[in-house]
Amino acid sequence: MIDAREKVTGKLEYGTDVVLPGMLHGKVLRSPLPHARILNIDVSKALRLLGVRTVVTGADAPAMPYTVAGQVLYDEHLLAREKVRYIGDEVAAVAATDPDVAEEAVSLIEVEYEPLPAVFDPEEAMQEGAPLVHEAHGSNIANYMNFSRGDVEAAFARADAIYEGRYVTNLQHHGYIEPHSAVAEWDSSGRLTLYIPMQAPTLARMTYASALGISPERIRVVQCHIGGAFGGKLEYKLHPLCALVALKAGRPVKMVNTRREEFTASLPRMPMVMYIKVAGLADGTIIGKSLRVVADNGAYNNYGPGIMLSALLRHDNLYRIPNLHAEGILLYTNKVATGPFRGFGNPQGIFAFESALDMLAEKLGVDPVGLRLKNASQKDDLTSHGWKLSSCGLSECIRSAAGAVNWTGKRGAHGTGRKRRGVGIACCLHVSGNRSFLPFFDGSSAYIRINQEGKAKIFTSETDLGQGSRTTFAQIAAEEIGLNVEDIAVALVDTDISPHGMGTWGDRATTLGGNAIRAAAIDARRQLNEIAAADLEANPKDIVAENGRLYVAGAPDRSITIAEAAKIFSYKQAGAILTGQGSYVPDDIVSVIDPKTKYGNISVAYPYAVQAVEVEVDTQTGEIEILNLAAAHDLGRVINPSAARGQVEGAVAQGIGYGLTEEMKVENGKVRNASFKRYDVLRAPDMPKMTIEFVESNDPNGPFGAKGLAEPALNPTATAIANAVHDAIGVRLHELPLTPERVLVALRKKTEV
Amino acid sequence: MRDFEYCRPQSLKEAVTVLAEKGKGAYPLAGGTDILIELKRRRLPASCLVDIKAIPELRGIEREGDALRIGALTTHSELLGSSLIQETVPVIAHAARQMAFPEIRNRGTIGGNICNAYPAADLVPPLIALGSSVLLASASGQREVGVAEFVLGSRQIAILPGEVLVAVKVPVPVSNAACAYARASTRKTGGIAATSAAAYLSADGGVCRQARIVLGAIEAKPRFVAEAAGYLEGTSISEDVAKAAAKMSVSGLSPIVDPRLSVQYRSYMTELMVRQAVLEAWAEVNR
Ligand SMILES: Cc1cc2nc3c(=O)[nH]c(=O)nc-3n(C[C@H](O)[C@H](O)[C@H](O)COP(=O)(O)OP(=O)(O)OC[C@H]3O[C@@H](n4cnc5c(N)ncnc54)[C@H](O)[C@@H]3O)c2cc1C
């Protein structure tokens, strides 16, 4: 890892470490009510407090609503106008000389509310007469989707077995250690600089320009090192709000979320209620599936439609299923808005689908592993949704994971004592970049500058969230240029300098960003070769590069260093620096998905993950212990083995949390466990024994064959556990997380039957 | 966080003088693992923190006759590392080990654990079951109060203005007596107790002579379950006896709200914890 030293010595500076001269500190006043009309806001007491510089309210914020990049439902304002829609909604903000004074000032703002009836359950929000979260929208349905392939009703009619079930998933928090933060500064020309830990600075600039009602050109986003993001650090209201406060204060302002704010007002994982039906033939062929999703958007839309879409169809592409139907209803409720989170809807859909597959297998009397292998998609398939699988190691992953937990030896052998054992498996496929967001713009671009000392610096807009992508990028460039990794640095994103790019989400960084960096490296290398060839009186084609040296093939003595070549380049052009430029535009971009039917190839390459677990269930306490977890991942090609393992281990921890312990408990709109003390993320000693296997399918579209990894590694975990619990105690759990209490209730029901 | 004064007295005398002087808004500061959170959440009307960490009289673990004197500043790590505790009241080390993480155990103190009077405080149920008391000092003198009487409810203690908890006095169980502690949490490591139970048993000729069962975390205040204890006394404790006593322990509970778990599940787990603590203590007595 190129930043390991700074990290382990605590020297790396994160967003909260940014300090500017004259900087003030801001705090947000948030709504204490889930739904209410604002009758009056009195800021006079707050303004009288010594040290308070300014207080802003909805009246100071732009009247035009905004939304996040590529979305069309403009439903947000920087500060509430007329109404608050959830406990945590931003009502006012303060800037003061220090954070404690700002906090004190916030407590002195007096707001008069008229409480309104609220709705918290998405299925209730759908009912006639439910309170409207956004009156102007006319309904609580923020988005509706309905599409089919083949003829699902005919498939159900001729099936040998059908399974139907209702599945419910939980509100999970990202649990990144670093809270959201922002430092905003306006210069005398009215230009804004934002220092923010942000996954996608380019999107931030677009979105915040519209939130602030200014042109994107007036915003410079400087990315800070990111202390964990997991999808939660895309656009976030605190950033432009901080800019608004700084504008009114006339001074730079810093704002940092408290942990409580993180747990009440960030963008956690979308809960869903899913009605699934799957049909199969006696020989184990899956012939049809329908899925109806009722998704809980929370109070604002954010990336809701995309998340719901991925829950609806992504997992279908795992298997050759010709007949499919999907219906999705996205609902506003008076709860915290939900947003992108590692998996982006996929873990939810997989929970319904891969649980249902096990139940179907049981009905058909076939082995769940056998069923999956029989139907698994293969390389070069064009799936029912029009996805082109340019590589596919799914079957190999299934065999590997099942083998690693001794599937055939352990399946069905649960014992009879107080503690029962079982094994379970679940699969997923994911994307490497998702082009359905900004269809007019995808891919990635990069520059690489090589200075006269032979040191290179990469400029990209794909951020490193802590997963180590800067190291991966340096490795890719090193390979093409012939430099050592230690001689390559990767700049943080600065929208004034870095190429325009979409940022890190949807597993795009390594595949799309890596391809662009590779292209830039090839361009730099071409220029180096020309200089070396001229200097060494050889043909550019014959120049070989290695360990920072360029030499003539077959004659290693005829060489110059890359530093010398870069110096020659620079001196010949009055100091200009040798710069390689590259971009990667996914081909067949014309097939972007159809907005109505959702048909079309959304990514250049699809990674696969299969996880199998062995659990032990204590039938007395209901506790589930994971004895062994096997993760098999087709990531195309491993570029950095330790970073790749790190991704899988971290994702599995988060996936076990999703499956067993993590849930934001919301009662009447209030998060009741808004701290790490009461929100149970896994800790190192909680981790089970784990084996990780990488399957390298070498995708033709990925840099050196590489595809995404970070998101898929979480997707199947919870479901594999649920399937193992079913094997152990014979009960199917329909709701995440699988708490001891739910296990006991299900066991009791089973004995009553 | 609101502004507050801070002072660091060097002796017990100085501390009680300062506390008396500063009056109502003055609070002792020990490890700070609880009080700082309360301050940050603006839930504590503290105008002055009296840091007691430099006071030598509040330190040390010593045997005094048939009891242990544990200084108020003794950290949880010190409790679980002490061979004296290990030999005389291992249940205290066991309870300390259940708590939080090494970072918190290195700072949090026994005095803070009792004075914080958090329903889930892990040291309190075993201390009560053992019949422990606290030694309190103020400008006007010293007094001793049983832990059971000292802890009044959630975040409520029978401390008088200007008093400092100096030490905890723990009677060392006689050779045919033992105490055990069991707790359930929502996670394997570092979770706060969702429910807990301590059982103190003494035996004579294979029959239980004296029993004390204390429930923690489930109600606002640690609860003595006299009926179940009475049921155990005079019996030779078996799995079934323990089970019956456990069942008695949870009748008539009024559990506090824990957002993580339902009341039913916590009552059920309380029963299991009582059973476990009783059986463990009994096994220890008969070793
Ligand atoms: C992450 C985390 C996890 C935790 N997990 C657990 C757990 O599993 N189990 C558990 O029981 N606790 C837990 N706690 C709570 C806490 O750590 C313990 O209660 C600890 O023992 C408190 O001791 P302290 O010295 O830090 O108290 P402080 O925070 O210094 O003080 C707490 C209160 O007691 C008063 N006080 C302290 N000492 C004295 C004294 N000598 N005389 C008079 N008043 C005094 C203070 O004025 C204050 O009101 C946890 C805390 C955290 C932050």
Side-chain angles (χ1 to χ4, degrees), chain A residues 235-250:
Chain A
E235 295 105 313
Y236 186 59
K237 196 176 285 183
L238 190 77
H239 305 156
L241 183 54
C242 186
L244 182 72
V245 177
L247 183 66
K248 190 146 179 235

Side-chain angles (χ1 to χ4, degrees), chain A residues 587-611:
Chain A
D587 58 8
D588 80 75
I589 194 136
V590 286
S591 75
V592 287
I593 74 160
D594 183 299
K596 255 204 130 61
T597 67
K598 315 295 179 194
Y599 186 88
N601 192 30
I602 70 161
S603 185
V604 294
Y606 299 96
Y608 305 82
V610 178
Q611 292 173 3

Side-chain angles (χ1 to χ4, degrees), chain A residues 305-546:
Chain A
I307 295 166
M308 182 169 76
L309 177 61
S310 113
L312 278 172
L313 64 63
R314 212 167 267 192
H315 52 260
D316 291 337
N317 301 285
L318 280 165
Y319 307 105
R320 294 168 161 172
I321 313 175
N323 307 299
L324 299 162
H325 176 246
E327 184 187 16
I329 310 162
L330 181 63
L331 287 138
Y332 283 127
T333 57
N334 292 113
K335 291 188 304 203
V336 59
T338 54
F341 184 171
R342 202 176 207 167
F344 200 70
N346 207 1
Q348 292 95 313
I350 283 174
F351 179 57
F353 179 60
E354 289 275 311
S355 296
L357 280 192
D358 266 34
M359 299 309 282
L360 182 68
E362 189 178 72
K363 287 201 164 198
L364 291 168
V366 300
D367 176 59
V369 164
L371 176 105
R372 286 174 172 81
L373 283 171
K374 182 173 177 73
N375 295 280
S377 294
Q378 303 296 334
K379 180 175 174 344
D380 297 329
D381 276 6
L382 180 68
T383 71
S384 293
H385 294 303
W387 292 19
K388 287 184 184 165
L389 310 185
S390 40
S391 63
C392 180
L394 175 61
S395 296
E396 215 179 319
C397 288
I398 295 173
R399 284 191 202 98
S400 160
V405 298
N406 183 15
W407 179 272
T408 42
K410 299 218 154 149
R411 180 79 185 174
H414 33 66
T416 54
R418 167 176 163 184
K419 295 187 172 182
R420 309 280 170 87
R421 292 183 172 194
V423 288
I425 196 164
C427 306
C428 102
L429 104 170
H430 211 75
V431 293
S432 309
N434 181 344
R435 71 172 52 157
S436 59
F437 277 86
L438 297 174
F440 50 88
F441 161 60
D442 196 8
S444 187
S445 60
Y447 320 137
I448 299 178
R449 306 196 326 186
I450 303 176
N451 71 15
Q452 299 120 357
E453 284 81 49
K455 306 276 185 201
K457 191 155 199 168
I458 298 173
F459 296 84
T460 166
S461 270
E462 317 301 345
T463 50
D464 189 332
L465 324 179
Q467 82 279 43
S469 60
R470 292 198 304 155
T471 304
T472 306
F473 291 158
Q475 286 178 276
I476 289 172
E479 187 77 19
E480 292 294 354
I481 300 175
L483 276 171
N484 294 318
V485 174
E486 302 78 67
D487 292 325
I488 303 181
V490 184
L492 292 177
V493 181
D494 177 337
T495 56
D496 272 9
I497 297 166
S498 309
H500 193 71
M502 292 236 278
T504 299
W505 47 272
D507 276 84
R508 43 193 319 288
T510 302
T511 311
L512 305 183
N515 269 327
I517 286 158
R518 189 176 181 193
I522 289 170
D523 185 43
R525 174 65 193 286
R526 178 189 54 76
Q527 299 174 56
L528 288 169
N529 277 10
E530 280 166 12
I531 298 158
D535 195 64
L536 302 170
E537 295 171 352
N539 189 325
K541 282 206 305 277
D542 295 332
I543 302 295
V544 183
E546 226 173 48

Side-chain angles (χ1 to χ4, degrees), chain B residues 49-96:
Chain B
L49 288 191
V50 181
D51 186 341
I52 54 174
K53 282 195 290 294
I55 303 174
E57 292 97 318
L58 306 188
R59 296 202 177 269
I61 306 171
E62 281 139 46
R63 178 131 193 178
E64 287 182 352
D66 51 8
L68 280 192
R69 182 191 187 279
I70 305 174
L73 285 175
T74 308
T75 64
H76 306 308
S77 297
E78 284 164 357
L79 289 174
L80 66 90
S82 154
S83 51
L84 189 52
I85 287 192
Q86 202 54 254
E87 284 154 24
T88 53
V89 277
V91 65
I92 298 296
H94 172 73

